Amino acid sequence: MTQQGARRRAKLCLVLGDQLTHDLPAIQGLDKSVDVILMAEVREEATYVKHHKKKIAFIFSAMRHFAYELSGKGFSVLYRKYDDANNKGCLFAEVAHLLKTRDFAEVILTFPGEYRLYADMQQWQAKLKTRVTIKEDTRFLADKAFFTQWAKGKKQLRMEYFYREMRKKHRILMDAEQPEGGKWNYDTQNRNKLPDEVQVPEPDKFTPDAITEEVLALVDEQFGSHFGDLKPFSFAVNRQQALVVLNAFIEQRLPNFGTYQDAMKQDQDWLFHSHLSFYLNVGLLTPREVIKAAEQAWYINAAPLNAVEGFIRQILGWREYVRGLYWHLMPDYKARNYLSANRPLPDFFWGAKTRLNCVSECVRNTRQNAYAHHIQRLMVLGNFALLAGIDPDEVNQWYLLVYADAFEWVELPNVTGMILFADGGILASKPYAASGSYINKMSDYCKHCHYDVKQKLGPSACPFNYLYWNFLIENAEHFSRNPRMSMIYSILEKKSRDDKQAIQQQSTTFFNEINLLAKT
Ligand code: FAD
Ligand code: DLZ
Ligand code: SF4
């Protein structure tokens, strides 16, 4: 009852699958006695790309657990399951249907994570003939206006400088006006291979409860043609479990996070990474609490500065930066293809056999877990997509659907900007291109490979070796004058014409046979 004694007209609050946070802006200020929260599992969100089965199961199960928690707190929650007979198939239709059946004064939303949905939501008020309010998503530490202000007048938008501003603004790892330890960045200490004798802690696994089991059966039935293994399923699906993962990371993995951040190892899918991106991106954890937990570990001497700074940089720096960049540059950003790359994605990205052991391992990890760690995404799969000149649309679609942490605000800048250089250098000052020797330096993959990483040309040569030089030759017009690439182009200059021709010939043969090789 309002002060006047009359019941005020209800608000309808829509909570999306990646907005599972109790103090979400749209939920704050709701009146439990009148307002209604709607959550809906819908075909449009589950199939606009054919998400990995595990990703759909994770999101649906986390949504259902969150809806129960909201009900337990006294909210009136309407939850539409995917297989409800009345399911309308898309978020707009679910909202429109409710407005027809009940009287609502306003629809309240939190800013979505993808431009396509934001563009759609901007039409809702006119179409629904009801006030629609979209609230800023305050779970991020940099709002869109802050990023725009920072970007204003800058020719280059480098993450490192944004990150320093964020450290100062939020007073993270700061000693008065100086960075703790005297340096902003400790990456030079973070490039070690993982020695055999170092034991990697087992990641936390959660046994599916009745809610998750029901979702697993649903996903098995409805999304059988989607990529990826549904089982075993052991993700955290509620905040309490996500906090267990966070605490275990801080205690068991964070101390080694920095040192082995770039390492890769055969059959080791999780290493010393945090595996928190799933939970951060759907809202079960907030970036603030994760950053604070890591910072605290340094202050109590539970983890070294290279690890803590390196980890915090990923969240306070990269995560906030890519989101800022996304909203600053969309929708044009999505259409970028600076290098005019146009090859189709090879079959082995979908699990067909390949002799490239590093690629095969990273795709296996991705298929089984809907996860791969950063260096696998960047320096194996991403590096291959860059060197092979794969069409950015195809690469973006693949990354968006295969990873359980993938939403366009974070996926697109990492693919278009970081791995493909398709934005022409807005995100990166030079392409992350590398030959087989980088992969050999950071992993043991080459030991298990059909190819020989030491050979540059010939049938046994590691394809990354000749594809790397081929990439530099083919894209000389774009990169030969880049000061950060002058050394590598001077080495290329010294190669004979015959050598360059041989590199190009073997690369052409490789591309011609790319899907045939997969079958042998
Ligand atoms: P950790 O290595 O433990 O890092 C800690 C946290 O830092 C992550 O949980 C994540 O929140 C953040 N982070 C680290 N690197 C980045 C980055 N480059 N951009 C944004 N946040 C970062 N991350 C996603 O969350 N979703 C994606 O769809 C996604 N797509 C990617 C695509 C490509 C091509 C590349 C190169 C990277 C992508 N990343 C993406 C970034 C990064 O690979 C993942 O965040 C990370 O592997 C998740 O595992 P983790 O939680 O164990 O990360
Ligand atoms: C990813 C996803 C999936 C698979 N399914 C749903 C869904 O059924 N209902 C929903 O509200 N959200 C889902 N999501 C998350 C949305 O796609 C996500 O909110 C938007 O892409 C914006 O980031
Ligand atoms: Fe990958 Fe080349 Fe090493 Fe094989 S030899 S694992 S293809 S880098």
Side-chain angles (χ1 to χ4, degrees):
M1 297 285 270
T2 63
Q3 279 166 343
Q4 289 79 25
R7 233 171 125 83
R8 79 156 166 75
R9 284 175 72 208
K11 294 176 182 173
L12 175 63
C13 166
L14 175 69
V15 174
L16 306 176
D18 54 355
Q19 298 182 341
L20 312 180
T21 315
H22 283 280
D23 62 355
L24 188 78
I27 298 177
Q28 282 175 30
L30 290 184
D31 179 347
K32 288 178 185 166
S33 68
V34 271
D35 297 330
V36 173
I37 295 176
L38 169 67
M39 296 179 70
E41 298 166 5
V42 289
R43 187 182 23 79
E44 189 166 87
E45 294 308 308
T47 60
Y48 73 95
V49 292
K50 290 178 81 176
H51 301 286
H52 194 298
K53 294 187 196 82
K54 224 168 223 149
K55 178 179 185 181
I56 301 178
F58 164 57
I59 290 174
F60 284 7
S61 176
M63 285 173 72
R64 291 184 187 194
H65 281 88
F66 187 68
Y68 272 107
E69 289 176 15
L70 289 174
S71 302
K73 287 170 82 178
F75 286 100
S76 168
V77 183
L78 292 175
Y79 193 93
R80 178 74 82 193
K81 288 186 178 173
Y82 195 82
D83 49 1
D84 279 354
N86 284 331
N87 194 306
K88 302 284 173 291
C90 77
L91 295 167
F92 173 77
E94 288 291 347
V95 172
H97 172 73
L98 260 187
L99 291 186
K100 270 190 208 141
T101 56
R102 286 172 65 166
D103 178 42
F104 288 102
E106 186 179 4
V107 176
I108 313 264
L109 310 166
T110 306
F111 208 91
E114 302 198 345
Y115 187 90
R116 70 179 169 89
L117 204 49
Y118 177 60
D120 191 43
M121 284 173 171
Q122 283 181 309
Q123 315 295 317
W124 286 17
Q125 179 157 305
K127 290 206 243 168
L128 295 168
K129 299 190 176 55
T130 303
R131 182 140 60 101
V132 174
T133 303
I134 306 180
K135 296 194 167 181
E136 177 74 32
D137 191 342
T138 51
R139 295 174 301 169
F140 290 91
L141 287 109
D143 60 31
K144 296 195 291 303
F146 176 81
F147 189 91
T148 308
Q149 186 59 32
W150 172 77
K152 204 169 166 186
K154 289 191 175 61
K155 270 197 191 146
Q156 296 185 321
L157 301 177
R158 295 289 168 257
M159 192 288 295
E160 183 62 30
Y161 298 109
F162 172 81
Y163 165 59
R164 292 179 191 181
E165 290 306 310
M166 292 292 281
R167 289 267 297 272
K168 290 187 230 164
K169 181 174 155 67
H170 294 280
R171 307 223 50 79
I172 304 290
L173 288 181
M174 294 298 292
D175 178 7
E177 294 315 303
Q178 295 306 312
E180 289 286 11
K183 288 202 302 184
W184 291 104
N185 182 316
Y186 291 85
D187 242 5
T188 47
Q189 297 171 32
N190 290 354
R191 290 175 188 153
N192 288 28
K193 200 167 177 160
L194 186 73
D196 285 340
E197 63 277 13
V198 172
Q199 285 295 309
V200 181
E202 269 294 299
D204 289 283
K205 292 184 176 145
F206 300 90
T207 309
D209 62 6
I211 295 176
T212 303
E213 286 294 1
E214 190 182 302
V215 167
L216 290 174
L218 170 88
V219 173
D220 194 29
E221 191 187 309
Q222 301 276 350
F223 303 99
S225 69
H226 287 214
F227 175 79
D229 297 354
L230 178 59
K231 291 181 185 171
F233 183 93
S234 54
F235 281 12
V237 289
N238 59 32
R239 176 165 165 78
Q240 198 198 350
Q241 293 178 340
L243 282 170
V244 171
V245 182
L246 171 60
N247 292 332
F249 168 68
I250 299 287
E251 280 170 25
Q252 299 165 17
R253 301 180 129 80
L254 177 61
N256 277 323
F257 174 87
T259 310
Y260 302 121
Q261 194 181 346
D262 290 357
M264 298 176 282
K265 205 165 177 70
Q266 186 88 10
D267 297 324
Q268 287 277 356
D269 298 346
W270 306 96
L271 298 173
F272 287 98
H273 292 271
S274 68
H275 328 132
L276 292 174
S277 52
F278 320 118
Y279 313 124
L280 281 165
N281 293 356
V282 302
L284 296 180
L285 296 175
T286 68
R288 279 183 189 80
E289 70 188 333
V290 174
I291 289 167
K292 279 287 165 197
E295 190 187 33
Q296 183 60 13
W298 184 65
Y299 284 123
I300 63 165
N301 273 330
L305 192 53
N306 70 310
V308 172
E309 185 285 314
F311 179 70
I312 288 179
R313 179 161 19 94
Q314 306 311 314
I315 301 183
L316 185 65
W318 278 112
R319 186 171 188 272
E320 296 289 333
Y321 166 84
V322 296
R323 184 196 184 239
L325 200 70
Y326 177 79
W327 288 108
H328 188 58
L329 298 173
M330 279 299 277
D332 301 353
Y333 200 68
K334 205 174 165 149
R336 305 254 177 159
N337 188 359
Y338 179 70
L339 302 178
S340 307
N342 60 8
R343 270 198 190 88
L345 202 67
D347 294 349
F348 51 69
F349 272 75
W350 301 111
K353 267 196 190 162
T354 171
R355 290 176 182 160
L356 295 113
N357 180 51
C358 51
V359 172
S360 167
E361 263 294 284
C362 296
V363 173
R364 178 199 56 72
N365 188 8
T366 304
R367 177 173 51 75
Q368 289 181 349
N369 303 315
Y371 175 83
H373 64 73
H374 188 64
I375 294 301
Q376 293 180 312
R377 295 187 205 196
L378 177 66
M379 297 310 296
V380 177
L381 300 170
N383 184 24
F384 184 85
L386 172 73
L387 300 185
I390 315 255
D391 181 339
D393 282 343
E394 293 209 15
V395 185
N396 270 302
Q397 197 180 103
W398 188 82
Y399 274 93
L400 186 57
L401 74 86
V402 298
Y403 294 115
D405 58 23
F407 299 91
E408 199 180 74
W409 65 266
V410 53
E411 173 278 325
L412 185 72
N414 272 298
V415 170
T416 284
M418 197 181 296
I419 64 169
L420 297 183
F421 207 83
D423 67 0
I426 296 173
L427 182 143
S429 54
K430 74 179 183 69
Y432 283 87
S435 67
S437 69
Y438 175 87
I439 295 171
N440 192 32
K441 195 170 112 207
M442 295 317 304
S443 77
D444 61 353
Y445 290 152
C446 304
K447 277 199 231 159
H448 305 269
C449 191
H450 163 89
Y451 296 107
D452 181 352
V453 71
K454 303 276 181 230
Q455 291 201 37
K456 310 287 176 223
L457 276 174
S460 300
C462 164
F464 278 91
N465 290 342
Y466 50 83
L467 293 182
Y468 174 70
W469 290 109
N470 181 62
F471 172 80
L472 294 176
I473 296 166
E474 286 195 344
N475 292 290
E477 55 169 314
H478 296 299
F479 299 125
S480 60
R481 285 182 300 282
N482 181 326
R484 294 199 60 204
M485 298 182 76
S486 56
M487 196 129 92
I488 200 72
Y489 271 97
S490 66
I491 299 174
L492 179 63
E493 281 292 288
K494 290 189 190 111
K495 287 192 188 289
S496 69
R497 242 172 92 146
D498 284 356
D499 277 355
K500 288 185 201 165
Q501 255 176 15
I503 286 167
Q504 288 186 285
Q505 244 163 34
Q506 187 155 1
S507 299
T508 306
T509 309
F510 177 85
F511 291 132
N512 287 342
E513 294 176 352
I514 202 161
N515 286 329
L516 292 176
L517 269 178
K519 293 190 176 66
T520 58

